[in-house]
């Protein structure tokens, strides 16, 4: 079991890690915005329901959500509903969409009312004000909390192993059974590199918005 | 016929009756200074005229076009219902300059001016002779910002920001321009440049409603002064009269405090 072989199997684990990461981002970013609008809705029953939902999802461990989504629907219907992988994706997307929604909401609510009013007296429609005036300011404000959350997501992907998905850590841990410890540290280096790249990327994006401040 | 006619305008927030039966005619070229102590509804009046608040009662007419008429708002059974929304084009007759500018921070001075112009042109609500960019540049030059067009608001002084805000409002060619304490957020040494721009507009016969605490400015730049107290206009007339020889006790009291400051 040499370096080459370990690297190869860690890369197989990394594939799952990357897939979970990418799919979760791709789906949870827009879904989070929908949830944010729901929780800010003027229709009180809707905003109440959405807030309760977000509270539950954020208050219960993601690990438990993964387990429940994988086992419970199949148990109730007597036939498997989700594959391991799709159960992980569903749980991660819902969970992260709720976290993102709170970041969006915080960002949107932090924009001063005067910005909307200025747009309105200039004859802009509500959606023009949102897309042309507010959105870019929201994006600037949410980049730091978003980058935090997204870096957490990289490490959370490891939770997929509770339903036997061989992601990066599981791949490394398999060698520990043979008394081989260094793959564990090796897998840690993968995470470090992953998060390092993201940190640089978010730093760049933040810089792009540096040309103005409020 | 007056350019702007305000009839029986009333506005409440919950139980608080803030504007009570406001009636006012504004002629073309009038520069009206609105004075009064804090909390008496001056801002609310301007906000109602710009439909940032929707009045419960009253009628607002500009140049013969009815922009708002609470009594005409009835449901299919003829019962009175509150006005919910205001047609977009009705917002364009009046412009508004805010106390704290409300510029869009992510856009340059020029982009702040052109943003709404472009959207209105695209939606077929307005056209700008000579093109959007050119007329925006001309207006920024008029307010003395020819060399600051590509600056972001955070790179401008308060006085310059407020002049961008004036240019932005002016660019849409409103019939009437409203100012809510345009210099109150400025350091004293910067108020002069903003007041100078407003004076210049007055000399060009721009019709304006200006809420202000600058009594000297009200005296020498306005054609008429309005004193508001507890949601009513209780005194109005030429500046010499209202500021120099007020009739009403409340006006006298207010001026005594305002001039002693
Ligand atoms: N959105 C609102 N909801 C509830 N009350 C409001 C609202 N806006 C204004 N008011 C109240 O209406 C009253 C008049 O406010 P307004 O801002 O019009 O006064 P003003 O004459 O402009 O005062 P100032 O000189 O301090 O600017 C105040 O008592 C204020 O608290
Ligand atoms: Mg006010």
């Amino acid at each position: 079991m040499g370096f080459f072989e370990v690297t190869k199997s860690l890369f197989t684990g990394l594939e799952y890690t990357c897939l979970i990461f990418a799919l979760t981002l791709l789906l949870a970013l827009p879904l989070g915005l929908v949830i944010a609008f729901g929780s800010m809705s003027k229709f009180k029953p809707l905003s109440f329901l959405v807030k309760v939902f977000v509270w539950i999802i954020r208050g219960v461990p993601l690990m438990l959500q993964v387990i429940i989504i994988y086992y419970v629907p199949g148990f109730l219907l007597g036939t498997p509903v989700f594959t391991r992988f799709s159960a992980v994706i569903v749980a991660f997307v819902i969970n992260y969409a709720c976290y993102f929604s709170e970041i969006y909401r915080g960002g949107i609510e932090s924009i001063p009312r005067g910005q909307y009013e200025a747009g309105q007296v200039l004859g802009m429609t509500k959606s023009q004000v949102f897309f042309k005036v507010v959105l870019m300011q929201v994006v600037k404000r949410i980049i730091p909390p978003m980058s935090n959350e997204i870096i957490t997501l990289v490490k959370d992907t490891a939770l997929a192993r509770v339903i036997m998905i061989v992601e990066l850590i599981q791949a490394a841990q398999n060698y520990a059974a043979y008394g081989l410890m260094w793959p564990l540290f090796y897998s840690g280096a993968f995470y470090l590199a992953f998060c390092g790249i993201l940190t640089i990327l978010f730093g760049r994006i933040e810089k792009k918005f540096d040309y103005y401040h409020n | 016929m007056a350019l702007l006619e305000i009839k029986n305008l009333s506005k409440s927030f919950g139980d608080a009756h803030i504007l009570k039966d406001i009636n006012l005619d504004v002629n073309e070229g009038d520069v009206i200074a609105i004075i009064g102590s804090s909390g008496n509804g001056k801002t609310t009046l301007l906000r109602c005229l710009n439909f940032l608040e929707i009045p419960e009662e009253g009628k607002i007419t500009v140049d013969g076009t009815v922009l708002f008429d609470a009594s005409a708002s009835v449901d299919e059974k003829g019962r009175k219902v509150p006005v919910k929304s205001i047609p977009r084009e009705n917002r364009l007759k009046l412009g508004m300059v805010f106390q704290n500018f409300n510029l869009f921070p992510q856009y340059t001075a020029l982009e702040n001016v052109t943003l709404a112009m472009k959207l209105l042109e695209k939606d077929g609500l307005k056209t700008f002779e000579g093109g959007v960019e050119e007329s925006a540049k001309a207006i920024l030059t008029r307010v003395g910002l020819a060399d600051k067009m590509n600056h972001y608001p955070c790179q401008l002084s308060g006085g310059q920001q407020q002049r961008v805000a004036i240019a932005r409002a002016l660019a849409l060619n409103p019939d009437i321009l409203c100012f809510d304490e345009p210099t109150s957020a400025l350091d004293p040494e910067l108020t002069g440049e903003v007041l100078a721009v407003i004076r210049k507009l007055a000399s060009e016969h721009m019709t304006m409603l200006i809420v202000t605490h600058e009594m000297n400015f009200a005296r020498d730049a306005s054609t008429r002064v309005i004193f508001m107290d507890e949601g009513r206009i209780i005194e109005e007339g030429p500046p010499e009269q209202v500021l120099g020889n007020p009739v009403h006790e409340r006006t006298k009291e207010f001026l005594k405090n305002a001039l002693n400051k």
Side-chain angles (χ1 to χ4, degrees), chain A residues 120 126, chain B residues 9-13 19 44-58 60 67-70 73 81-87 91:
Chain A
Q120 214 177 327
K126 284 221 165 82
Chain B
L9 194 74
S10 288
K11 174 70 194 170
S12 305
F13 294 108
L19 293 181
T44 307
L45 174 59
L46 294 193
R47 289 174 61 84
C48 283
L49 295 178
N50 285 280
F51 305 115
L52 292 173
E53 309 289 353
I54 300 189
E56 283 96 35
E57 299 289 343
I60 301 170
L67 301 187
F68 175 86
D69 186 357
S73 167
V81 290
V83 177
K84 282 223 183 59
S85 65
I86 304 290
R91 293 181 178 278

Side-chain angles (χ1 to χ4, degrees), chain A residues 92-142:
Chain A
F92 270 65
V93 167
I94 292 175
N95 188 275
Y96 270 84
C98 286
Y99 277 99
F100 292 159
S101 81
E102 286 296 282
I103 295 177
Y104 289 134
R105 192 168 67 90
I108 292 171
E109 287 178 348
S110 75
I111 304 300
R113 257 200 18 209
Q115 292 290 303
Y116 295 90
E117 293 183 346
Q120 214 177 327
V121 296
L122 292 167
M124 294 161 71
T125 64
K126 284 221 165 82
S127 77
Q128 287 172 342
V129 173
F130 184 77
F131 287 107
K132 301 280 179 182
V133 175
V134 174
L135 187 60
M136 172 118 104
Q137 297 180 48
V138 172
V139 171
K140 179 182 166 88
R141 286 176 193 216
I142 67 176

Side-chain angles (χ1 to χ4, degrees), chain B residues 37-44 46-47 99 180-181 211 213:
Chain B
S37 39
S38 188
N40 280 306
K42 305 180 299 294
T43 295
T44 307
L46 294 193
R47 289 174 61 84
Q99 187 171 340
D180 188 12
E181 301 192 31
V211 172
H213 289 302

